[in-house]
Amino acid sequence: MPRYGMVIDLKRCVGCYACVMACKAENVTPANVFWNKVLVEEKGAYPNARLTFLPVLCNHCDNPPCETVCPTGATYRRPDGIVAVNQDKCMGCGYCVVACPYQQRTFNHKTAGYFPARGLTPLEEQGYKSHTRGTVTKCTLCVHRISQGRQPACVVACPARARIFGDLSDPGSEPSRLLGRRPAHRLLTGLNTGPAVYYIPE
Ligand code: SF4
Ligand code: SF4
């Protein structure tokens, strides 16, 4: 059984937001919902100031607190490590939004479109069918693409090849080989969540 995960090389990330936009286009997330974000920090002082970028997404944790607190079983961890939400079971209590230490869950208050004065576009009308109002939503690791043998949209779109996706349980996979060569860290490991997203420091 694979254990899917991702390595993000912060030396390569140029903060272009292609991953953010690719995720939106692929998953047609509502205007108020972002499954992929790039956090920007300014370091240093003029004339040596610079920006650093930290792309963040659901970590598809080994021990996901969002699953533990879910009272209906809507959030569940698949055998391949992907943490998923069954929207038919989600009652919108929001416990998981509070429990996720990475702030990777969004309560879908309304399926807002990008052009409120003009109603939903045909794409939004179609895409929003999979974003049930009153439920909680988050990154699926593009499970629909993975099941077809394709890579997540954010990985394919990254022009810097900063995002490397694959099976972390396979020592010969691209992310495993990369982690064997380069030091990497995960976020908030002290919480014992077991994130499956690794960062190679800049
Ligand atoms: S990052 Fe948050 S939403 Fe994703 S699996 Fe971990 S606890 Fe759950
Ligand atoms: S697409 Fe790649 S380079 Fe651009 S912001 Fe995302 S991770 Fe960084």
Side-chain angles (χ1 to χ4, degrees):
M1 181 59 67
R3 192 328 175 198
Y4 292 123
M6 193 180 292
V7 180
I8 299 179
D9 187 343
L10 298 180
K11 274 194 201 314
R12 285 178 165 267
C13 177
V14 293
C16 67
Y17 292 82
C19 50
V20 176
M21 297 316 296
C23 176
K24 287 219 127 275
E26 176 74 24
N27 297 293
V28 197
T29 50
N32 51 328
V33 176
F34 287 84
W35 288 354
N36 245 309
K37 292 179 190 152
V38 177
L39 307 182
V40 182
E41 188 184 357
E42 192 175 311
K43 288 193 176 157
Y46 178 84
N48 297 312
R50 65 194 175 91
L51 296 178
T52 62
F53 307 105
L54 181 69
V56 291
L57 68 161
C58 171
N59 287 279
H60 296 275
C61 303
D62 283 333
N63 309 303
C66 57
E67 180 192 34
T68 310
V69 300
C70 179
T72 65
T75 290
Y76 62 102
R77 187 174 178 276
R78 297 168 24 130
D80 59 12
I82 294 175
V83 176
V85 182
N86 180 340
Q87 294 198 326
D88 292 337
K89 284 190 174 179
C90 177
M91 64 176 185
C93 65
Y95 286 7
C96 58
V97 177
V98 179
C100 173
Y102 304 98
Q103 299 181 5
Q104 287 306 316
R105 288 181 164 249
T106 309
F107 183 78
N108 198 4
H109 290 281
K110 55 176 182 172
T111 42
Y114 272 86
F115 311 97
R118 301 166 69 177
L120 295 183
T121 65
L123 175 68
E124 288 169 340
E125 257 179 40
Q126 188 61 30
Y128 288 6
K129 287 179 184 163
S130 57
H131 299 289
T132 310
R133 185 177 174 180
T135 67
V136 166
T137 178
K138 71 164 198 60
C139 156
T140 64
L141 212 54
C142 278
V143 66
H144 59 290
R145 293 174 61 98
I146 294 172
S147 65
Q148 299 167 346
R150 297 192 294 159
Q151 303 247 322
C154 59
V155 174
V156 175
C158 178
R161 292 214 70 227
R163 305 170 82 107
I164 297 96
F165 165 82
D167 178 5
L168 298 177
S169 71
D170 173 3
S173 72
E174 196 180 354
S176 296
R177 283 189 280 117
L178 194 54
L179 290 174
R181 291 200 308 272
R182 309 263 303 273
H185 64 270
R186 296 176 289 170
L187 300 179
L188 304 178
T189 43
L191 299 177
N192 200 30
T193 48
V197 177
Y198 290 76
Y199 293 92
I200 294 174
E202 48 155 346

